[in-house]
Amino acid sequence: MVDTQDTASRARTRQAIIDAAIAVLGKNLSAPLSEVATAADVGRTTLHRYYPERSDLLSAVRAESVLRLERATEHARLDEGTGAEALHRLCEEYFELGDVLSLVFGDPHCLEEVDRGQSGAEDRFKAVVERGHRDGSIDPELPATWLESVLWSQLYAAWSYVTDSGESRHHVLRLMLRTLAGAVSPPP
Amino acid sequence: MVDTQDTASRARTRQAIIDAAIAVLGKNLSAPLSEVATAADVGRTTLHRYYPERSDLLSAVRAESVLRLERATEHARLDEGTGAEALHRLCEEYFELGDVLSLVFGDPHCLEEVDRGQSGAEDRFKAVVERGHRDGSIDPELPATWLESVLWSQLYAAWSYVTDSGESRHHVLRLMLRTLAGAVSPPP
DNA sequence: CCGTATTGGAACAATCATGTTCCACTCGGG
DNA sequence: CCCGAGTGGAACATGATTGTTCCAATACGG
């Protein structure tokens, strides 16, 4: 924290470390730091230079995840169309985050962080669901908190399915959007 | 393995260890053995007496999980009614397994184990889904492998929701069965 | 081309989970 | 009541991960 300034070179290294950390720690949150270093194509010494303690790296990784989630949420334009349509777009955007999904899903602390970091993320989600309840696109018996769980678990399931079933991202995204649409829509 | 016999007392201790291990390792697969021992209300020494190495404990825990899954599967009477009804019953039964869900979901090795242990578990599941495709109760665009992912992720989400939202098991089960029913049924 | 910034490797201490051994305690069945 | 099965605690060795230090090599900008 001594110098907030990063030269171009340092910025690149720092980003490489974060990216590698998201990938490695996403698969296994208690993976050794040496693995992260290797994945980042960086010496373990260098890693410690940028993030002296493991917890520092974790904080940075969580912050980066929050950042990407915020951007994705913006892209989803949550206040347009029906509630269900908004959820649909939100899933499309989140799905693109790839490894971040595994990380956020596997790290209990991370979701709390998202709610604190992103101003009122939880409230915004709740608002979307309740709009869906009113406009008839979302089953009113399903509370926002439960749908949040469903959304995250499906995203995680879909991303895992991509990585270890070999199906194309696009195809799996279609599958997930279909099951999710069915899950939230009111029964006929 | 010297004596396959357990006295009543040893059997009780062994079971306490397994139960504690399922609970603790379900929350965190790389939790230290001392935590398992504490949760089982047993000395670390005793734990090592029953399961000399960590891998021995893991094997035993996986075996117990497979056993419980087998029993639950039997109770579900997979060959009765429509495919969707069979899935519905399967979820009800699996949901009762509680902590086992977290464990199986969090341990990649465990599901493979289930498939090897339980004779053709994967095939039986596939058969149910395909029956559902034919009888019109399950959307034919959703392959069995994807539905298996959805089922497990929803079970995990539901169980987590119970443990850290405080809602009653029964209520959450209802929520889950509703979202799952919507997810698998063909679109109107 | 020079000098500084950045890096990677080696060697080290500290910590923690694991696995082992030994011994004293106690609980329960005969 | 007594004896053995079962247990728990303490102490120890080991290996892996973490965090630190120092130094030589290299890359990069001026």
Side-chain angles (χ1 to χ4, degrees), chain A residues 50-67:
Chain A
Y50 284 78
Y51 303 100
E53 304 198 357
R54 175 178 253 272
S55 61
D56 297 325
L57 177 60
L58 274 188
S59 301
V61 160
R62 286 199 261 257
E64 172 75 11
S65 301
V66 169
L67 194 71

Side-chain angles (χ1 to χ4, degrees), chain A:
Chain A
M1 283 300 194
V2 171
D3 61 282
T4 319
Q5 320 223 46
D6 267 7
T7 68
S9 150
R10 289 181 70 88
R12 258 179 285 120
T13 305
R14 173 159 275 141
Q15 195 58 48
I17 292 176
I18 292 292
D19 290 342
I22 289 177
V24 170
L25 300 179
K27 289 194 191 74
N28 173 15
L29 193 53
S30 46
L33 293 184
S34 55
E35 256 182 63
V36 177
T38 302
D41 207 27
V42 148
R44 197 169 66 91
T45 306
T46 301
L47 198 164
H48 275 87
R49 224 190 304 273
Y50 284 78
Y51 303 100
E53 304 198 357
R54 175 178 253 272
S55 61
D56 297 325
L57 177 60
L58 274 188
S59 301
V61 160
R62 286 199 261 257
E64 172 75 11
S65 301
V66 169
L67 194 71
R68 296 192 192 175
L69 283 167
E70 280 177 2
R71 282 203 295 257
T73 307
E74 288 316 312
H75 281 173
R77 307 185 315 279
L78 289 186
D79 37 9
E80 297 182 13
T82 67
E85 284 163 359
L87 282 191
H88 183 100
R89 287 193 303 273
L90 191 63
C91 280
E92 287 180 322
E93 295 298 330
Y94 278 10
F95 187 73
E96 295 300 315
L97 298 180
D99 286 326
V100 173
L101 297 174
S102 316
L103 185 69
V104 173
F105 190 76
D107 181 6
H109 275 277
C110 211
L111 271 182
E112 306 166 14
E113 199 76 26
V114 173
D115 287 334
R116 269 197 305 278
Q118 214 165 341
S119 56
E122 203 166 355
D123 294 331
R124 275 207 284 173
F125 184 82
K126 194 176 175 191
V128 169
V129 172
E130 283 169 357
R131 186 170 94 240
H133 288 165
R134 286 191 300 274
D135 67 27
S137 65
I138 297 180
D139 184 345
E141 297 218 9
L142 304 174
T145 51
W146 168 244
L147 287 184
E148 199 176 348
S149 294
V150 170
L151 187 142
W152 279 107
S153 69
Q154 293 246 20
L155 280 168
Y156 175 76
W159 181 246
S160 306
Y161 196 75
V162 167
T163 59
D164 52 49
S165 93
E167 299 273 5
S168 81
R169 290 191 192 203
H170 180 260
H171 179 231
V172 175
L173 176 58
R174 291 281 301 258
L175 287 177
M176 191 204 78
L177 289 175
R178 179 179 278 260
T179 49
L180 192 82
V184 306
S185 77

Side-chain angles (χ1 to χ4, degrees), chain B residues 7-28:
Chain B
T7 69
S9 153
R10 288 181 70 86
R12 256 179 288 120
T13 305
R14 173 159 276 142
Q15 194 58 47
I17 292 176
I18 292 292
D19 290 342
I22 288 177
V24 171
L25 300 179
K27 288 194 192 74
N28 173 13

Side-chain angles (χ1 to χ4, degrees), chain B residues 84-99:
Chain B
E85 284 164 359
L87 282 192
H88 183 102
R89 287 194 304 271
L90 190 63
C91 280
E92 286 181 322
E93 295 299 329
Y94 278 11
F95 186 73
E96 294 301 315
L97 297 181
D99 287 324

Side-chain angles (χ1 to χ4, degrees), chain B residues 1-2 4 6-7 9 36 45 56 59-60 76 81 98 109 120 129 138 148 158 174:
Chain B
M1 284 300 190
V2 172
T4 320
D6 269 6
T7 69
S9 153
V36 177
T45 307
D56 296 326
S59 300
H109 274 278
V129 173
I138 298 180
E148 199 176 348
R174 291 281 300 256

